[in-house]
Amino acid sequence: MYFPSWLSQLYRGLSRPIRRTTQPIWGSLSRSLVLSSQRRNPEFSSFVVRTNTCGELRSSHLGQEVTLCGWIQYRRQNTFLVLRDFHGLVQVIIPQDESAASVRKILCEAPMESVVQVSGTVISRPAGQENPKMPTGEIEIKVKTAELLNACKKLPFEIKDFMKKTEALRLQYRYLDLRSFQMQYNLRLRSQMVMKMREYLCNLHGFVDIETPTLFKRTPGGAKEFLVPSREPGKFYSLPQSPQQFKQLLMVGGLDRYFQVARCYRDEGSRPDRQPEFTQIDIEMSFVDQTGIQSLIEGLLQYSWPNDKNPVVVPFPSMTFAEALATYGTDKPDTRFGMKIIDISDVFRNTEIGFLQDALSKPHGTVKAICIPEGAKYFKRKDIESIRKFSADHFDQEILPVFLNTNRNWNSPVANFIMELKRQELIRLMETQEEDVVLLTAGEHNKACSLLGKLRLECADLLETRGVVLRDPTLFSFLWVVDFPLFLPKEENPRELESAHHPFTAPHPSDIHLLYTEPKKVRSQHYDLVLNGNEIGGGSIRIHNAELQQYILATLLKEDVKLLSHMLQALDYGAPPHGGIALGLDRLICVVTGSPSIRDVIAFPKSFRGHDLMSNTPDSIPPEELKPYHIQVSWPTDSKAAKAH
C-alpha cells in the first residue's frame, strides 16, 4: 500500500519509542507539509471522462483528439456552438456531412444549457475568424461524436452576466445563477484565498486547525443567538455567534496557536447586507500582544492576496477610535478619499448666530464642517434639500450648506451672513476652492461627527453618480482602528454599561485603575481592521485573570456569572496571556471582488429577511413533530401577522 511521504514520516515518528524522540513530531511533519504544498498545475481532468476542459485548449493542442463536457451556451445557424464549463468557453463545429447526421441532430436540437459530451480534433480557426476576446479564440473543435447527457428545460432567465435579474429570482434559482462567470469567479477566488490562508497559518506559522461545537449554551451580551430545542423539557442549545469561548479555552488547554474557518450564527432579523449564518477566519494565540496579532494578519493577507489584484502594502496604517470619529465620523472610515471633518468652532466663538452660539455654550458643543469638492458644479437644489431632510429625520440636527458664491446660497440669510463675515477664515481652514460647498453643523461632538460622517459618504455616492471618480475601485485601503472604549452606555438604559466589543476584552494597561472609579473612560485592547470603509475583522487581547473577569462581568456589566462559570474556572487554572482576531470572510471577499452584496460571494445565501427562497426556509413543522421537544407554537392573533406566517 502506498503512503504519502508525510504520512509515512508521521507513522515512523509515532512508532519510535518515546525515549528516543529527540524533537517534536509536529516539527518534522510541518516541514514535510511545507514541501508538499509547493505549487503544481492542477489536474482538472483527472478521474473524469473528459480529456481537457473547455477553457484550456490553445494552438499548442492542434491535432490532438480531445473529449470535452459542458453546457451549450450559444448556437448559430446550426453550424457551430459554444461549449462552456467552469474553466471557460470553446467553439465547436457542428458536422454538416450526411455520415454525421446523428451527431448533427444531437447538437442542433439540444436546447440551450443542455449538458453534452463531444469528442473530436483541435483545429485552427480559418484565417481572419480568430476571436482575440476568447482565450481559446485561435482554435475550434471538429466534432466526430456527441452525446446528450441531459437536456435543459426552458430557463427562468438566461445564463449571461449582462442579463438583468432580480435578486429574488437569482436566489430562487441559485443553482442556475451559480453557472454565471461572476459567481464562478467569486467562489473560486474565495476558495483559493482560504487555501492560501491555511498554508500561511498551518504550514508557515504552526497553527492548529480545530473545529469547535455549533451546539452550545446561551451566553450573555452581544448579538442575539438562535435557539435549538432539545428533548429535555425546557432546555435549549444555542448556536454560537462566534467560537470566542472555545478558542480561549483552547489557549488554557495549551494549544498555543488555533485557527478555524468557522461557521457563526446571529439572529439579527432583517438586515440588508447581513447573513444569519456567516463565516469567519477565526484566530487565537498565546503569549501575544496587539502588535503581534496585527503583524500576523498583515502577513496573512499579503500571502493570500489574489494575483490579479493590486498587491497589499504592509504595514497597515493605524488610527485611534477617537481620531477616526473626529476625522471621518465613523469607526470604519473609507480613507480612499478626502472630505475630512474639520473643527471650525474657534471661527464662531464670538458669533451672534443663534444656533451656533447655543451649541458652543453646551458641554462638548462644537461646530464642524466638511467640504464637498466642486459641489456647486454637481449639486442641484433638490440635492441640498435632500441632505437637510436626511439630517433632520435621522439625526434631529440642522445642516447648513454654505456656497463660496453667496448668490448660490438659495435665499439662506444665515449662510450669506457667514460668508460675508467668515469667508477668508473658512477658505483658510477648509482649503476650499471657488466651486466647493461647505456643509456645516453644530451640536454635541459625537453626534455632529456621526452626521457629517454619514453625509460624507452620501455626498461621495452622489458625486460618483454624476461622473466624479472619488474612490478608486482598484485601490485597497487597509486601516487599523485601535483604542476603542471598553464600555458603552446601554441604549435602553444609559446609566448601565455594555461591552463595546465583548466582555472578555482586556482593558488598556494604562487605564486599569479607572475600572474602579470611572469605567466609562477605560480604553480597551480591542482592534478593528477596516478595508475601504468596511469592517472586515475585529479582535482583542483577552482577560486572562479570573478575578478581573469576574469583576467586569458581575459588577460593571451586571451579567449572570453562572452562565460563564466554566470560563471563570478555566481562567483560574493557569490561563496564559492570549489574544486573537476574527476576519469576516464573506465581507472580505465581497470587497476584494468588488461585489455589490455579500450574497454574491456566498454559494447559498439567505435573503435580506433571512429566508432561503430556493427551498422556502424557514418552514413550519407539524405539531406532532414538535412534541418530542416539549414545545408548541403560539400563533399570532392579528390577522395580518397570521397571513405573514
Side-chain angles (χ1 to χ4, degrees):
M1 182 180 295
Y2 169 74
F3 290 96
S5 60
W6 67 265
L7 185 58
S8 302
Q9 194 170 350
L10 176 61
Y11 179 77
R12 287 197 301 272
L14 292 174
S15 302
R16 293 175 189 143
I18 293 176
R19 65 179 182 273
R20 293 177 58 191
T21 303
T22 58
Q23 62 179 9
I25 294 166
W26 68 265
S28 58
L29 172 59
S30 66
R31 282 193 294 275
S32 176
L33 286 174
V34 170
L35 293 173
S36 68
S37 70
Q38 292 173 358
R39 307 299 290 170
R40 295 193 183 94
N41 291 327
E43 293 289 344
F44 291 124
S45 296
S46 52
F47 317 117
V48 293
V49 293
R50 65 173 177 248
T51 61
N52 299 86
T53 62
C54 295
E56 72 175 294
L57 297 173
R58 301 288 187 272
S59 295
S60 57
H61 296 89
L62 287 175
Q64 290 187 14
E65 298 294 316
V66 297
T67 297
L68 308 176
C69 299
W71 287 262
I72 298 175
Q73 173 147 318
Y74 178 73
R75 182 169 47 224
R76 191 171 74 188
Q77 298 174 345
N78 287 344
T79 57
F80 70 83
L81 58 82
V82 174
L83 198 63
R84 183 194 75 245
D85 65 10
F86 72 96
H87 206 63
L89 308 169
V90 68
Q91 182 166 289
V92 171
I93 302 300
I94 300 173
Q96 302 297 311
D97 49 299
E98 285 301 318
S99 61
S102 60
V103 173
R104 183 163 191 246
K105 178 179 172 65
I106 290 170
L107 297 181
C108 290
E109 295 182 3
M112 293 298 105
E113 289 300 308
S114 293
V115 189
V116 296
Q117 176 181 316
V118 299
S119 296
T121 308
V122 181
I123 61 174
S124 293
R125 290 200 190 192
Q129 294 186 22
E130 300 89 350
N131 185 348
K133 294 181 180 179
M134 282 177 69
T136 60
E138 294 181 351
I139 60 94
E140 55 193 9
I141 309 300
K142 185 178 181 181
V143 174
K144 295 178 181 177
T145 64
E147 181 181 352
L148 177 63
L149 300 178
N150 207 342
C152 179
K153 292 184 178 179
K154 184 176 180 179
L155 295 167
F157 53 80
E158 288 188 70
I159 314 296
K160 291 176 182 174
D161 284 280
F162 59 83
M163 295 295 294
K164 294 292 183 185
K165 307 173 280 285
T166 65
E167 186 174 70
L169 193 64
R170 291 177 59 204
L171 293 181
Q172 184 181 354
Y173 297 96
R174 188 59 162 188
Y175 42 84
L176 296 178
D177 190 47
L178 290 175
R179 293 183 191 175
S180 70
F181 168 80
Q182 192 61 55
M183 286 302 302
Q184 289 271 324
Y185 173 81
N186 290 351
L187 295 178
R188 291 179 187 281
L189 181 140
R190 177 180 176 133
S191 170
Q192 290 164 8
M193 285 190 70
V194 169
M195 180 56 72
K196 294 287 286 182
M197 288 179 179
R198 290 185 187 276
E199 287 178 9
Y200 182 83
L201 292 168
C202 291
N203 294 359
L204 301 183
H205 293 286
F207 279 77
V208 187
D209 185 351
I210 301 174
E211 295 177 356
T212 55
T214 52
L215 290 177
F216 193 40
K217 68 182 296 183
R218 183 174 62 88
T219 54
K224 291 182 179 179
E225 297 166 333
F226 286 101
L227 295 178
V228 180
S230 77
R231 292 175 182 261
E232 295 185 46
K235 294 191 176 181
F236 294 81
Y237 296 105
S238 180
L239 299 181
Q241 51 187 291
S242 82
Q244 182 61 46
Q245 294 183 51
F246 291 113
K247 64 182 184 179
Q248 289 192 243
L249 294 171
L250 288 168
M251 297 305 102
V252 178
L255 269 296
D256 194 74
R257 296 184 170 203
Y258 142 93
F259 103 97
Q260 180 183 187
V261 182
R263 296 295 282 169
C264 306
Y265 307 88
R266 289 181 188 170
D267 188 7
E268 295 186 315
S270 300
R271 301 285 294 271
D273 212 25
R274 296 282 184 92
Q275 287 286 293
E277 52 180 332
F278 55 97
T279 306
Q280 289 181 174
I281 303 296
D282 205 50
I283 294 171
E284 197 80 5
M285 299 171 70
S286 294
F287 312 111
V288 72
D289 60 11
Q290 182 170 311
T291 304
I293 295 287
Q294 290 175 341
S295 297
L296 170 79
I297 295 304
E298 289 169 1
L300 174 71
L301 288 168
Q302 194 175 44
Y303 185 87
S304 61
W305 204 249
N307 293 330
D308 63 339
K309 307 296 179 186
N310 287 336
V312 171
V313 179
V314 299
F316 301 156
S318 183
M319 183 181 295
T320 66
F321 169 80
E323 186 185 353
L325 185 64
T327 310
Y328 295 98
T330 176
D331 60 1
K332 48 184 179 182
D334 189 340
T335 53
R336 287 176 297 172
F337 69 106
M339 291 167 56
K340 296 179 182 179
I341 299 169
I342 307 292
D343 191 320
I344 55 174
S345 302
D346 289 343
V347 176
F348 298 99
R349 286 290 173 202
N350 302 311
T351 186
E352 296 176 9
I353 300 171
F355 85 99
L356 299 179
Q357 193 179 54
D358 182 56
L360 289 171
S361 67
K362 293 177 181 175
H364 308 294
T366 184
V367 181
K368 304 275 189 184
I370 58 173
C371 176
I372 313 300
E374 298 190 285
K377 181 178 176 182
Y378 292 102
F379 283 10
K380 301 177 175 65
R381 184 182 292 230
K382 66 176 183 178
D383 299 323
I384 297 296
E385 290 307 314
S386 176
I387 287 169
R388 299 187 76 168
K389 186 175 187 306
F390 174 87
S391 307
D393 292 349
H394 294 275
F395 286 83
D396 192 24
Q397 190 121 341
E398 185 174 353
I399 275 286
L400 189 63
V402 180
F403 293 78
L404 293 185
N405 181 350
T406 53
N407 293 332
R408 297 291 300 276
N409 277 314
W410 289 320
N411 302 322
S412 172
V414 176
N416 282 328
F417 185 56
I418 286 174
M419 284 314 298
E420 287 170 15
L421 291 179
K422 307 293 183 180
R423 180 185 182 91
Q424 293 308 318
E425 287 183 87
L426 281 176
I427 289 174
R428 179 180 59 81
L429 271 176
M430 305 291 297
E431 298 180 356
T432 52
Q433 305 293 322
E434 185 65 30
E435 292 289 327
D436 297 348
V437 175
V438 172
L439 297 182
L440 180 152
T441 191
E444 191 272 329
H445 171 79
N446 286 357
K447 191 174 178 182
C449 290
S450 295
L451 168 58
L452 289 176
K454 288 281 188 185
L455 291 181
R456 175 178 179 264
L457 296 175
E458 293 284 333
C459 290
D461 289 342
L462 193 56
L463 285 173
E464 289 190 332
T465 62
R466 307 271 159 86
V468 180
V469 179
L470 282 177
R471 295 166 288 197
D472 182 352
T474 67
L475 178 66
F476 296 98
S477 182
F478 287 95
L479 176 73
W480 288 109
V481 179
V482 300
D483 288 354
F484 284 81
L486 187 61
F487 305 111
L488 295 172
K490 283 186 176 178
E491 281 189 29
E492 62 273 17
N493 185 359
R495 293 183 198 174
E496 294 185 2
L497 299 176
E498 63 182 5
S499 296
H501 185 47
H502 58 56
F504 310 113
T505 302
H508 196 286
S510 304
D511 295 351
I512 286 181
H513 64 285
L514 295 173
L515 273 176
Y516 308 97
T517 54
E518 299 178 280
K520 289 183 180 179
K521 293 185 177 180
V522 178
R523 291 168 299 162
S524 69
Q525 295 190 68
H526 162 203
Y527 32 84
D528 276 355
L529 182 58
V530 177
L531 173 58
N532 293 359
N534 297 274
E535 180 195 329
I536 60 162
S540 66
I541 301 302
R542 323 300 187 188
I543 299 167
H544 67 279
N545 178 280
E547 188 178 341
L548 177 59
Q549 185 69 82
Q550 168 99 17
Y551 176 78
I552 286 177
L553 285 168
T555 306
L556 297 181
L557 298 177
K558 298 179 172 35
E559 297 285 4
D560 182 1
V561 293
K562 291 178 183 176
L563 291 171
L564 292 167
S565 59
H566 57 287
M567 278 291 294
L568 293 169
Q569 187 179 53
L571 295 180
D572 251 339
Y573 288 140
H578 58 283
I581 193 169
L583 297 179
L585 183 63
D586 310 306
R587 176 66 57 202
L588 172 63
I589 304 298
C590 182
V591 177
V592 170
T593 58
S595 299
S597 164
I598 60 170
R599 289 183 283 279
D600 288 334
V601 299
I602 301 171
F604 296 100
K606 304 291 189 291
S607 71
F608 80 96
R609 293 184 60 198
H611 292 179
D612 179 350
L613 303 182
M614 184 178 63
S615 63
N616 289 320
T617 307
D619 201 0
S620 55
I621 301 292
E624 60 271 16
E625 292 186 25
L626 291 175
K627 282 183 181 178
Y629 300 101
H630 312 282
I631 58 176
Q632 60 183 24
V633 176
S634 175
W635 294 100
T637 53
D638 181 73
S639 59
K640 289 183 180 178
K643 285 179 182 177
H645 286 271

